[in-house]
Amino acid sequence: MKKSFSSILLPLIFAFGTVILLLILGSSDPWASIQAFFLGPFRNLYFFGNMLDSATYIMLTGLGILLAFKGGSFNLGGEGQVYTGAFVTALFLGWIPSATGNLGVGLALVLGICTGGTLAGISALLRRYLGVNDLISSYLLSLGIIPFYDSLIAGPLRDPSSNLLTTPEIDRAFWLPKILVPSNAHIGLFVALGLGGFFFWLLQGTRRGFELRLSGSNPLAAQLVGVSASTYSFVAFISSGALHGLAGSLAVTGTYHAALVGVTSGFGWNGIAAALIGRNHPLGTLLGALFFAYLQTGARTAMIYTRFSTELAILVQGFVFLFITAQVFGKKQIRGRSLHD
Amino acid sequence: MKPSNATIGIENLWSQYDGEPILCGLSLTLEPGGLYGLVGENGSGKTTFGRVLQGLLRPNKGTIWGLGRSPRKKLHGSVNRQVQGVPQHPKTFPGLSVGDYYRLVSGKVPKDKETHTPLSSLSMSGLNLLGIRAAIHAGPKLLFLDETTAPMGPEEVKLHYATVRNFTDQGGIALVVSHRLQELIDFSDGIFVIRHGSLAGFFPPGSNAVNISHSMFGKSNSDAVLSPRAVKNRIHQEPILRVSNLSLGTKKVSFDLFPGEIHCILGMKEQGLELLEDSLAGLDTNGRDHIHPPLWKKNSGFSYVPRDRYGRGLFPGLSVRENFQVHGTPKNPPSLPSHWLHQPIQNLSGGMAQRLILDREIPRAEHGLLVCEPGIGLDQTHRAYLHQALIDLRNEGKGVLVLTSDPDEALSLGDRISVVHDNEIVAQSQPFEGSREFLSDLMVGLSNTLSSSETGT
């Protein structure tokens, strides 16, 4: 337990210390803004629900990151995959008749999952058959495809009646049922929680999950015990993209009801932080996602109550991310041992 | 930079790696203009010594004179430009040319050379020679060559030493690691023997190769207690493993394994033992047609204990228990107390890790077991456990193939010993009185002409 104290609590203490320091330096009424930051997310149902809403997406993307991790690779294209899922879902639901109702929503979610998985699949294929580093290729693909959606949403697909850069709103028949009204939270939260439990069972309780972990831990040794490491890693990477696509799809059907420019609001990145805080454990990742959503909501409430500028809110998240990654990657993770003369 | 005319002195050098002492008070003196050989069995500390000299590894204790900025200054863990090391397999990068390689190593490109040739067009030997030339071009005082002649044929070896001699004739010092004693006797000004991390002897030119070999491997009293081991009558038995014409480098090997025997293949790892392990493990796909049954297949009835325990046998980040259960057996490792089960595997010591792998692989050895360098880094207790486990397996009628570079291990385990040198099997015999010296001579390429009790397969 001593070990997990230093590796989880210590960076959190540092992170919160930094938050307090920033609030003291960056606002005219430090005490009020500190209160707003830490207690804001619990002040009313609206903020609390919105925190859970953010957490839903970070949970899904975090689980996606975790899955790729377990297969021994790093999915840096989360933002693009989330956006793809959202974009395709908004287009699809704008196109089919509203009479399809729940069936239409189901199809849209499947479509989001498939397109997110396809985008990641390009990187997975490039790695499998051409040896291209999937960390780089997924990042670059994502980097390239985001402005493409942006330009379509701001251009030919824009809703002329809206002030925002967004596609037309989808029909109410396609909206996911809300929980914790008046907040944005919706039943997608249960999907994310359920998937967390599912992956916990898969990774810790099944042979397939075990073989996936073997493949990620040491591909060569996995091959020697008869486990096809490259296949596992391939499937895990595609599934990672599929989870991101699902997050995007849920964001449209559950929260935004349209594809806005920047609809991903950093879920792709925050998923990485959640997986890292969660120590690469599915249930830990759910908690990590909650924590990150808490920080986000805290920063938002502090912004409202105290003229806390947007940049400082981003700064807070940046610092937390920094401390946690420094903790995870800064120390020698694997004791490299080799026999030599 | 012109090499200055100064002696290099190494005094009482100590270095440890992962808590195990590798260099234990090594002292030696290198005179300017000297081309020295450096020999020792695998694990004796040669490579570590080279790293310390190059400043890649900081010694725990000791002094090196004549290489610092001022001659009396201690060497402190920064890369030393006065020492150029050339490894057995120089690192190359795809797309580099000969000129780029020179620039990388020495910072400048010679004008008269064919510098546009891509590195990928060079042979292993050509690459090693280039490595040496580029290193010399950098103007070092000391050249450290680690097994650079390993891939070379006789003519290339001559060229190799001519190149190095040219460097030492101008006042440089060269230290050449090789497992081929005869070439060092022919071309060097003297041979240092390292054993267990300290100097075991210095042999001037013209020394008897057999004496050098004995100095490398030490005298052991195990010969006295060697008892002739009963080898079962094999007339009516079929081998459970047949390796025929398997390519190792440019040579080929053939051997077999019978049920109820421990067959040790003894050799230096650079002389074919490593290549053999890769082929038997199925990692070198070219060799697959020459090995029957395919040991790497799950249903072959063979299991595999690799030389590189952490790189090939274990899964970092997973628990001890999970590492034991990789084959799907829902059991706990028998030899570990229960508080170890949920620890990460990297917390185990080398000996415990080896024991875990043995306990995991032995029950799967339906017909036989392939074990590579099983005793490396093990203390007496773990070594005894290991040997007993292998002997028990043999007594159950299974075949055990041991690849080892330790003559003592081969002698205390083997019912049959094959010696590999220069990528081929040079002798096969059963252990006998005094066979220790005989075997260690064979390992370094001596006594080729002696006949053994059962030469060839």
Side-chain angles (χ1 to χ4, degrees):
Chain A
M1 280 298 96
K2 216 173 173 185
K3 210 170 167 187
S4 55
F5 171 78
S6 66
S7 57
I8 301 177
L9 281 187
L10 217 60
L12 293 193
I13 291 168
F14 268 111
F16 280 128
T18 315
V19 168
I20 292 170
L21 199 71
L22 284 173
L23 290 171
I24 291 170
L25 291 174
S27 83
S28 47
D29 185 354
W31 181 237
S33 56
I34 287 171
Q35 256 190 327
F37 189 98
F38 288 102
L39 302 178
F42 306 106
R43 192 161 285 175
N44 57 41
L45 209 57
Y46 177 75
F47 286 131
F48 184 70
N50 281 357
M51 177 176 82
L52 293 183
D53 184 46
S54 296
T56 304
Y57 307 117
I58 303 175
M59 282 174 188
L60 288 169
T61 56
L63 289 171
I65 296 296
L66 169 101
L67 212 55
F69 260 159
K70 292 289 183 191
S73 43
F74 211 123
N75 179 5
L76 266 194
E79 286 284 300
Q81 291 150 15
V82 174
Y83 210 161
T84 302
F87 182 78
V88 170
T89 301
L91 283 198
F92 178 72
L93 290 179
W95 173 65
I96 61 165
S98 57
T100 51
N102 286 341
L103 177 69
V105 175
L107 286 174
L109 292 181
V110 170
L111 203 61
I113 290 170
C114 291
T115 47
T118 306
L119 190 62
I122 297 172
S123 300
L125 280 170
L126 285 173
R127 165 163 146 159
R128 185 162 188 175
Y129 295 106
L130 296 172
V132 177
N133 184 323
D134 44 13
L135 183 150
I136 306 279
S137 73
S138 64
Y139 177 66
L140 291 180
L141 269 173
S142 162
L143 205 65
I145 210 158
I146 290 171
F148 173 68
Y149 297 138
D150 280 348
S151 64
L152 283 180
I153 294 171
L157 301 176
R158 184 173 173 186
D159 177 8
S161 63
S162 170
N163 296 326
L164 300 169
L165 293 175
T166 172
T167 59
E169 197 173 77
I170 58 171
D171 195 280
R172 275 190 171 270
F174 298 133
W175 292 18
L176 290 180
K178 294 270 174 203
I179 52 173
L180 304 177
V181 182
S183 78
N184 287 330
H186 54 87
I187 56 163
L189 175 66
F190 304 118
V191 174
L193 290 172
L195 282 172
F198 170 74
F199 284 115
F200 175 65
W201 168 76
L202 182 79
L203 289 168
Q204 304 295 332
T206 68
R207 177 71 193 169
R208 293 259 169 223
F210 183 53
E211 292 190 349
L212 168 65
R213 290 191 292 131
L214 292 182
S215 307
S217 160
N218 189 342
L220 177 60
Q223 190 194 330
L224 289 170
V225 297
V227 171
S228 173
S230 58
T231 305
Y232 273 104
S233 154
F234 182 74
V235 173
F237 202 85
I238 292 178
S239 312
S240 171
L243 280 166
H244 282 83
L246 174 63
S249 217
L250 286 176
V252 169
T253 50
T255 306
Y256 301 103
H257 308 128
L260 288 78
V261 164
V263 68
T264 58
S265 13
F267 298 145
W269 297 121
N270 293 340
I272 298 175
L276 292 179
I277 298 172
R279 304 281 292 165
N280 255 332
H281 189 282
L283 304 182
T285 302
L286 298 184
L287 291 177
L290 272 174
F291 171 73
F292 232 74
Y294 168 66
L295 281 184
Q296 244 176 3
T297 315
R300 233 173 266 151
T301 51
M303 237 156 66
I304 293 169
Y305 284 105
T306 63
R307 293 181 189 164
F308 200 99
S309 69
T310 336
E311 288 76 16
L312 273 173
I314 294 166
L315 216 60
V316 168
Q317 287 187 36
F319 267 108
V320 174
F321 195 81
L322 184 73
F323 283 124
I324 281 148
T325 46
Q327 184 70 25
V328 175
F329 294 110
K331 69 179 170 206
K332 228 164 115 189
Q333 266 192 305
I334 299 158
R335 220 161 109 207
R337 270 176 189 254
S338 62
L339 298 161
H340 72 161
D341 345 352
Chain B
M1 196 199 305
K2 240 191 143 175
S4 64
N5 280 340
T7 302
I8 297 174
I10 287 104
E11 245 179 67
N12 195 24
L13 208 59
W14 289 77
S15 173
Q16 46 178 308
Y17 185 79
D18 245 358
E20 287 168 41
I22 306 289
L23 295 180
C24 311
L26 181 66
S27 301
L28 48 93
T29 308
L30 304 169
E31 298 292 345
L35 194 173
Y36 298 100
L38 181 65
V39 298
E41 56 181 330
N42 289 143
S44 58
K46 303 181 299 287
T47 302
T48 304
F49 179 44
R51 286 182 175 192
V52 170
L53 284 175
Q54 290 172 68
L56 301 173
L57 195 72
R58 199 181 176 138
N60 297 74
K61 205 170 128 185
T63 320
I64 299 175
W65 311 101
L67 281 176
R69 233 170 283 140
S70 82
R72 298 227 147 225
K73 202 172 165 184
K74 275 189 191 176
L75 196 68
H76 268 316
S78 61
V79 175
N80 193 319
R81 291 270 161 220
Q82 297 198 47
V83 183
Q84 283 287 338
V86 183
Q88 188 189 356
H89 308 292
K91 279 218 171 67
T92 60
F93 307 90
L96 283 196
S97 70
V98 167
D100 295 330
Y101 191 82
Y102 268 104
R103 198 172 293 119
L104 197 72
V105 173
S106 65
K108 48 196 186 243
V109 187
K111 289 199 181 76
D112 52 330
K113 293 265 162 48
E114 188 60 53
T115 53
H116 294 290
T117 317
L119 287 184
S120 51
S121 70
L122 295 181
S123 67
M124 280 302 296
S125 315
L127 198 60
N128 284 4
L129 275 174
L130 170 67
I132 294 167
R133 290 193 178 122
I136 292 173
H137 195 64
K141 188 168 170 182
L142 173 65
L143 202 56
F144 187 90
L145 308 181
D146 197 351
E147 282 279 327
T148 39
T149 57
M152 295 184 181
E155 284 308 307
E156 289 163 324
V157 167
K158 274 187 198 157
L159 183 60
H160 172 273
Y161 283 101
T163 310
V164 180
R165 181 54 81 187
N166 193 28
F167 166 70
T168 56
D169 282 347
Q170 292 169 28
I173 303 172
L175 204 49
V176 184
V177 176
S178 174
H179 286 310
R180 300 194 219 172
L181 280 186
Q182 199 55 51
E183 64 177 45
L184 290 176
I185 292 169
D186 292 345
F187 295 105
S188 80
D189 299 329
I191 300 173
F192 292 104
V193 179
I194 300 192
R195 181 165 168 75
H196 299 321
S198 59
L199 192 67
F202 177 74
F203 292 84
S207 297
N208 184 345
V210 174
N211 294 340
I212 301 177
S213 157
H214 293 178
S215 168
M216 278 171 75
F217 293 97
K219 287 265 178 188
S220 157
N221 45 16
S222 70
D223 295 47
V225 294
L226 257 186
S227 59
R229 210 169 277 121
V231 178
K232 288 187 181 160
N233 183 356
R234 295 201 211 109
I235 295 172
H236 301 296
Q237 280 184 321
E238 283 291 305
I240 48 171
L241 168 68
R242 231 191 266 273
V243 174
S244 44
N245 291 320
L246 175 69
S247 295
L248 295 183
T250 53
K251 311 277 182 57
K252 286 182 161 61
V253 290
S254 299
F255 58 88
D256 50 23
L257 177 70
F258 283 89
E261 76 161 344
I262 299 180
H263 184 174
C264 288
I265 300 196
L266 175 67
M268 294 287 189
K269 73 174 158 72
E270 301 86 349
Q271 295 288 335
L273 211 63
E274 250 177 353
L275 294 174
L276 185 58
E277 176 179 350
D278 286 354
S279 291
L280 291 173
L283 295 173
D284 178 8
T285 45
N286 296 327
R288 289 188 168 190
D289 293 341
H290 302 274
I291 300 163
H292 300 284
L295 306 185
W296 50 92
K297 294 236 168 98
K298 259 188 167 172
N299 55 8
S300 67
F302 274 82
S303 54
Y304 168 43
V305 177
R307 172 181 197 273
D308 183 355
R309 287 160 210 158
Y310 289 86
R312 288 190 177 176
L314 297 172
F315 298 87
L318 271 63
S319 72
V320 168
R321 181 198 193 142
E322 287 175 325
N323 267 280
F324 187 74
Q325 297 177 340
V326 295
H327 297 299
T329 40
K331 282 189 191 153
N332 286 333
S335 55
L336 283 172
S338 60
H339 69 265
W340 273 106
L341 295 181
H342 298 286
Q343 301 251 9
I345 190 73
Q346 49 270 41
N347 289 3
L348 286 189
S349 71
M352 291 167 87
Q354 181 69 313
R355 199 157 160 168
L356 182 86
I357 296 177
L358 280 171
D359 289 340
R360 182 180 86 193
E361 297 302 329
I362 283 177
R364 288 186 66 245
E366 228 173 282
H367 302 308
L369 182 70
L370 165 65
V371 200
C372 303
E373 300 274 19
I376 276 194
L378 300 190
D379 60 24
Q380 280 308 315
T381 324
H382 284 114
R383 200 179 288 252
Y385 177 85
L386 160 82
H387 286 188
Q388 196 52 51
L390 297 183
I391 288 166
D392 288 348
L393 199 62
R394 187 263 319 269
N395 293 343
E396 285 168 29
K398 288 163 185 171
V400 181
L401 187 65
V402 181
L403 271 52
T404 180
S405 64
D406 178 356
D408 286 325
E409 187 161 71
L411 281 166
S412 60
L413 275 177
D415 300 317
R416 183 156 57 123
I417 300 171
S418 299
V419 183
V420 172
H421 176 74
D422 201 10
N423 296 329
E424 58 184 343
I425 291 182
V426 292
Q428 211 181 87
S429 92
Q430 287 167 18
F432 57 88
E433 281 299 314
S435 57
R436 190 169 190 287
E437 275 69 29
F438 171 67
L439 291 173
S440 40
D441 288 352
L442 287 169
M443 284 171 76
V444 290
L446 303 174
S447 327
N448 270 347
T449 49
L450 287 179
S451 62
S452 61
S453 56
E454 267 183 49
T455 308
T457 14

